[in-house]
Amino acid sequence: MDLRALKNYDIHFAELFVDAFDTYYKTGDKNKVIRLVNHILEPFGGQLFEGFSLGKEEALNQLK
């Protein structure tokens, strides 16, 4: 990954990214990575957990 390009695009995000992954690779603690990913996904509705389905019931009804 070209960190310079990321810094040129968004210095604040680049700092969060580096801090999160440095912490993870040095300590194995993935909490900062999870927070970073949640922050990225938040504008799009957040995480989709296992078992999540949108329109599953409608699709099953159409098969009947």
Side-chain angles (χ1 to χ4, degrees), residues 1-2 5 8-9 11 16 18-19 23-24 26 29 36 38 43 50 61 64:
M1 168 183 254
D2 186 359
N8 286 336
Y9 179 72
I11 186 74
L16 292 174
V18 169
D19 181 51
T23 299
Y24 173 69
K26 290 177 182 175
D29 182 0
L36 178 66
N38 285 336
E50 183 178 340
N61 287 336
K64 292 179 181 182

Side-chain angles (χ1 to χ4, degrees), residues 6-22:
L6 185 57
K7 285 181 180 179
N8 286 336
Y9 179 72
D10 187 337
I11 186 74
H12 178 69
F13 178 79
E15 290 169 352
L16 292 174
F17 182 92
V18 169
D19 181 51
F21 282 94
D22 275 352

